Structures are given as structure tokens and as C-alpha cells.
Amino acid sequence: MAVVALGLPRSQPGAGETGFAGMPTTGPMLDRFGRAATDLRVSLTDRCNLRCTYCMPEEGMSWLPDDDLLAAEEISRLVRVAVTRLHVAEVRFTGGEPLLRRELPEILRAAAALRPRPELSLTTNGLGLKQKARLLADCGLDRLNVSLDAADPATYAESTRRDRFADVIAGLAAASAAGLRPVKVNAVLTRRGSSGGKDWRDVAAELLDLCLASGYELRFIEQMPLDAGRSWTRAEMITADEILEALGSRHRLSPDPAPRGSAPAGRWLVDGGPASVGVIASVTKPFCADCDRTRITADGQVRNCLFAAEETDLRALLRSPGLDEEALDEALALRWRQAMWTKRTGHGMDDPWFQQPERPMSAIGG
Ligand code: SAM
Ligand code: SF4
């Protein structure tokens, strides 16, 4: 695979440049297999105020140095390049915990002012959302996903290592009241994480009950080998089939006939609908063939896949002196296109040579 070198591109891209033959230089960012990357995930920070067991170890996380983090203006510039030059239509802000980034309102406002106006969403653990939901909606946020792994405080504290269940519940209610609908809830189930007396099947069922009662859309995510502690094992992971079997023993589930498109969650109507539940089977039923994502880490690296082994540095280019505005935007767009062009067909988790990426999920931006 071609690795994009640091520094400015030496020539115009396309047919002439080794590794990028056939790469279009206008229109959406394509890869060699014809997928268009129109959905951008931007990590605003790698830091977090929770320590979810499947994401971070209890202690000993090392954070990106402050100088390496993109400034708010740098983030907004990359979003502008993505939307106005690379046909990105959706931008999701994530992390780490994106609500910890105090410039989030101004980053949202800048993105909402772009034309064409991208869809703006957020993935958050919900801490502090109660105070911020209205402001974020006013700044242009369209919707959000809130992570909640259990419907009771004790199991939640076990999963996140912090006693903050009530804050998340208050945050969810505030998001709904602020019109950030549909409010989606992300849940990762763990066998060990819910060992405090409660079976994971009960945890799953209670979460579904909570979401049905409150009008939130629940989506379970299969646990992926992206934890900073590198403790993931396939045997410990709870599969999509297991989750569906557990929920199916308490509710009538039927496939949602609405087209799935590139959405990663398989969706099931609950007891005939209209409420539904989603299961994202990233490990057991990968959706790589339909993947439309591109990612920017908090330190300005493009990742063309969650599981990519290589990254492409936009930060060095952003900070390189001597280019006028137009030339810099052009160079950023070109570098980004090149990064996406070399995306692999799939995440390769079942390949014998698969290796967990060096960056954990919290530093990539989930
Ligand atoms: N802190 C925010 C949150 O928790 O929503 C945003 C970042 S977090 C990395 C984004 C999503 O990734 C969350 O829904 C979280 O549950 C999920 N996640 C984290 N580690 C994961 C893993 N190893 N496998 C699957 N999902 C994971
Ligand atoms: Fe923090 Fe989100 Fe990771 Fe939990 S999943 S530790 S909330 S980044």
C-alpha cells in the first residue's frame, strides 16, 4: 500500500503519481473499490472523564500533548475543506469526550454556516449534556448519540468506573427537550463488565425497556479490539446474534423494512414497531463494503478506517508556512483524497496477520 509521505505533495495527483493512478481529483473522495467517503468523524480530544472498561484502563492513559491537538480554527478549516471541496455531507464530532472541548459551540457554529450545510451530530457520554444541550442545538447540532451501557446506576458504574448514571439520564432528557431528535443511545455489553450480580441479558433487556419508555433509539455495538488496555478477546465479546436472541426472548423482533443504506446498524422493529432496536455487528458481520467514513484524529491525522495501520498527516500541512489560503486548502484536499484512495477492502479482523491498531478507539474517535 502506498504510504502518504509528510510534506507537500510533490506534484499534481492522479494518473502520474505512483499509487494514485486513476484517483479522481474532483467530486467525492473515492477509494480504489469505488466507495465514496461522505461521512466525516472528527475527534475533538482523546481525553475523557469516564473509564469504560472496554475502552480505557482504570489508570495509566497517556494523552496527546496539548501542542499536538488541533486548534478550533484548524478543525473548522478541515471541516470546511471536507464539505466544500470533498463532498462530505455529514460531520460527527466525537472523541475521547467531545463535551470536554470548550470550543465545541464555535466549532459547531462554523460547520453549520457552511454551504452546502452538512448534517451535524455528536457522540458523547452525556456528562454535562444537561447544561449544554440547548446551546449545542442553538449552535447547529442536529442530533446526537449518547453512550449508556446499563439502565441502573450500579451496573453503569461498573461499566464506566464512575458513578454518573444520573447525569447521563438528565443529559438524555435535556437533549430530547432541546429537539435533538431522534436521541440515539449507544450501548456496549460486556460479560465481565456486568458481573456485579446482573446478567448481561438482563442489562440488555432493561436498557431496551428504558429506551422504549423514553422514546430513545437504542443501538448495541459489538465490542471491538480497540481498547487501550488490549484486553479484547473474541471469546469474551458478546455477539450480535446473542444480543438478538436475548432480546427476542422478551420481545417480538422483526427486521425493519426501511432501507439500511450505509448505516452500520441492522435494525429490528420491537413488538411490531414503530419503535426499533439496532445492533452494530462490526466484528461478526462487517459492513466494510458499504463504509462511507473518513476520520480525523484530534492531532490532525486522517484515518481511512478504524483499523487502519497507517495515518496521513494533515496537521503538518496545516501548520506549514508559505502557502496562501487557496493553495493550502487545495493541498489539504489533495492529501486527504490520497489518504482515502488507499483504503483497504475491509478491516481484516479475521486475517491471520490482523493487528490491533496502535491508537485505541478513544484516540481515533469512535
Ligand atoms: N466518549 C464518547 C462516548 O462514549 O460516546 C465518544 C467517544 S467513544 C470512543 C464512541 C463510541 O465508541 C461509544 O459509543 C463507545 O461505547 C464506543 N466504544 C468505545 N470503545 C469501544 C470498543 N472497544 N468496541 C466498540 N465500541 C466501543
Ligand atoms: Fe470515554 Fe467514550 Fe471511551 Fe467511555 S467509551 S471511556 S466515555 S471515550
Side-chain angles (χ1 to χ4, degrees), residues 19-38:
F20 304 114
M23 184 188 83
T25 54
T26 57
M29 282 185 282
L30 295 183
D31 63 36
R32 291 163 299 165
F33 307 98
R35 293 167 295 190
T38 53

Side-chain angles (χ1 to χ4, degrees), residues 48 54-55 94-98 123-125 145 147 149 186 188 221-224 226-227 361-362 366:
C48 191
Y54 49 81
C55 185
T94 178
E97 177 43 46
T123 302
T124 170
N125 63 26
N145 292 39
S147 299
D149 299 328
N186 288 358
V188 176
I221 308 173
E222 275 182 349
Q223 193 187 341
M224 293 180 273
L226 286 170
D227 56 313
M361 180 78 126
S362 57

Side-chain angles (χ1 to χ4, degrees), residues 184-243:
K184 292 190 182 172
V185 170
N186 288 358
V188 176
L189 298 167
T190 48
R191 293 183 209 278
R192 283 165 302 163
S194 50
S195 59
K198 197 167 272 188
D199 187 272
W200 69 263
R201 295 168 194 81
D202 296 327
V203 176
E206 289 170 15
L207 264 175
L208 182 54
D209 290 344
L210 183 152
C211 290
L212 291 175
S214 312
Y216 307 144
E217 271 185 34
L218 176 61
R219 300 136 37 100
F220 292 99
I221 308 173
E222 275 182 349
Q223 193 187 341
M224 293 180 273
L226 286 170
D227 56 313
R230 295 179 171 255
S231 61
W232 182 93
T233 63
R234 197 175 267 262
E236 280 295 333
M237 181 195 82
I238 297 169
T239 66
D241 285 347
E242 285 181 286
I243 296 169

Side-chain angles (χ1 to χ4, degrees), residues 71-91:
E73 307 76 55
E74 292 174 322
I75 292 168
S76 295
R77 179 171 204 148
L78 291 183
V79 171
R80 175 165 56 73
V81 167
V83 170
T84 61
R85 292 178 184 254
L86 297 170
H87 295 243
V88 160
E90 290 182 53
V91 183

